[in-house]
Structures are given as C-alpha cells and as structure tokens.
Amino acid sequence: MADAELDREVRIAIARSIKTRGKIPTIATVAADLGKHVAAVDASFGRLADGRVLRSRKGSHEVYAYSPFSAVPTDFFVTAGGRVWFAIDAWDALGIPAALGETGVIETHCADCSESLVVEVEANGDTELQTWTVMQVGVPARDFWKDIDYTESTIQLFRSEEHAERWRDKAKPPATTILPIEQATALANAWYKDKLDPDWRRFTTEEAEALFDELALDPEFWRLS
C-alpha cells in the first residue's frame, strides 16, 4: 500500500474514533482498527504530523492534538455531543462544535482577569450576541508555524476589548488582532466544519486568504503569502 493511501486510511480512522469513541486514538488503537502493523501506522502518524494534519507529543508520534481536539486537558473545556472535549486555544475551542456538527458550550476564563467565560456556539457557527467577549491572536498568520506552541498561547478569549488590550500590554506579543466573538466563531466554523470528513484536506494558501477576506479579517495581519 502506498504511503498516501495508508495516511488517508489512518486520518479517517482518527476522525472515526473521535466521532464514535469520543477521544483521539493511540497509534496502537488505529493499528488494531485497520489491521495494520503498529510500525507502519506509527510512520503514518509521523507523516501526518509533518504535513500539519496533526500535532505529535514530544518524543513520539502519538497525537498531542488533532485540531480542534486536544488529547490532553487544557483550560478550554468544551461540552458538545454529550461529551467533554478539550482544545489547545480559543480558536480550536470555538471550532469543536463545527467539527462535530453539534451545539457546544465553551468554558474557559478571561486571559487577563481570570473571570469565567462561557460561550455557546451552534453547529453552524452562530452564537448569541455577546459584544463584550472577544478573541485575540498575538502572532501574524504568516508566522503561525514559526513557533506554533507560542502562537497558540496567544489565541485567547477575553471578557472585553479593554481586557485584551491590557493583556497585550503585559504579554507584549509581536502583533495582535482582536475579533468580536461572532467573527471568531464564524472563522472557527469555516476552518473546522469538515475536519472529521473522509475527504477533508488542508486549505491552500489561496483558499485560506480568500476565507479571511470573506470574513473581513485584517488583510495585513492575516496575509499568508
């Protein structure tokens, strides 16, 4: 079997496990599900990580995150589809309902003042008007993968734009953009709504930039090319 064919089977198996078991599977689990040798599936996980389809744990090819889903507990706690999920950052948390096709409730805290925040998101990305809640991103899109761990640490929810700006003054990220919650959920929905589909593929640069333009995001901050 060609690597590309196996990688597709492995990706679909990961997505199926998320939908049916409610969790990201291990390499051994996927190997058992597909009836493949563990070494071959391990190599496939590595290729999927190289292609930015998933994030590996340090020191192995086991999944750290199959975005928007995190394999480890985080400060972004999402209830959707009768299950509890975790996300690495605010963007991913808002995208979990879209990926599952379910209404979801995101619970976290304001990154500035630590006050609890709760956001309900419909499967189509709609959310109740919450003019006080915003999402801030602290690294320009073209630089996201230079240090993805740092980038994700800057993608946070805040109880207001004032709190986002106060956090920015303390954290001093390289650049920032602030999205109203309705714009943030629309972005997350468009980005992740088909992540668990068999025919999912990553956006091309052109497709991503067209989406950012469609959502009226800051063209300079969100430019990839």
Side-chain angles (χ1 to χ4, degrees):
M1 177 181 290
D3 288 349
E5 185 179 351
L6 176 60
D7 293 349
R8 184 176 190 274
E9 286 193 14
V10 167
R11 175 178 57 77
I12 292 172
I14 292 171
R16 183 168 55 243
S17 182
I18 291 171
K19 289 190 288 187
T20 61
R21 297 187 178 110
K23 62 182 180 180
I24 295 172
T26 63
I27 292 168
T29 297
V30 172
D33 287 346
L34 297 178
K36 304 292 184 184
H37 291 298
V38 171
V41 174
D42 180 80
S44 178
F45 271 55
R47 290 191 296 271
L48 292 174
D50 290 342
R52 298 178 182 174
V53 174
L54 58 83
R55 298 270 305 285
S56 295
R57 297 176 187 249
K58 287 181 171 57
S60 81
H61 292 147
E62 296 288 359
V63 179
Y64 168 61
Y66 187 77
S67 293
F69 305 95
S70 171
V72 299
T74 71
D75 289 335
F76 292 94
F77 179 96
V78 183
T79 304
R83 292 188 169 110
V84 174
W85 312 86
F86 294 97
I88 294 175
D89 58 35
W91 185 348
D92 283 4
L94 297 172
I96 285 177
L100 295 172
E102 302 275 358
T103 295
V105 177
I106 291 86
E107 297 176 68
T108 186
H109 61 271
C110 173
D112 171 57
C113 70
S114 297
E115 180 175 313
S116 295
L117 291 176
V118 179
V119 180
E120 182 171 330
V121 183
E122 301 294 333
N124 65 358
D126 289 345
T127 187
E128 293 183 5
L129 184 62
Q130 299 180 49
T131 56
W132 60 89
T133 306
V134 299
M135 183 177 85
Q136 183 165 229
V137 182
V139 176
R142 67 177 67 86
D143 296 331
F144 277 0
W145 283 90
K146 287 183 177 179
D147 184 346
I148 189 62
D149 291 326
Y150 176 74
T151 296
E152 289 168 336
S153 75
T154 73
I155 305 177
Q156 301 284 347
L157 290 178
F158 297 86
R159 60 178 297 194
S160 71
E161 198 166 322
E162 178 185 358
H163 283 252
E165 291 171 350
R166 193 160 63 195
W167 175 88
R168 180 182 64 207
D169 290 342
K170 292 182 292 187
K172 295 183 171 26
T176 59
T177 190
I178 296 175
L179 280 63
I181 194 63
E182 295 81 12
Q183 194 177 32
T185 57
L187 170 62
N189 179 271
W191 200 257
Y192 286 126
K193 63 184 178 182
D194 61 350
K195 183 62 184 283
L196 300 181
D197 293 351
D199 294 327
W200 172 87
R201 62 174 177 80
R202 294 185 66 218
F203 283 95
T204 65
T205 296
E206 294 74 18
E207 289 168 342
E209 289 185 339
L211 172 62
F212 300 154
D213 288 342
E214 181 182 340
L215 295 174
L217 302 180
D218 178 358
E220 178 57 31
F221 188 94
W222 291 93
R223 194 60 55 212
L224 295 170
S225 54

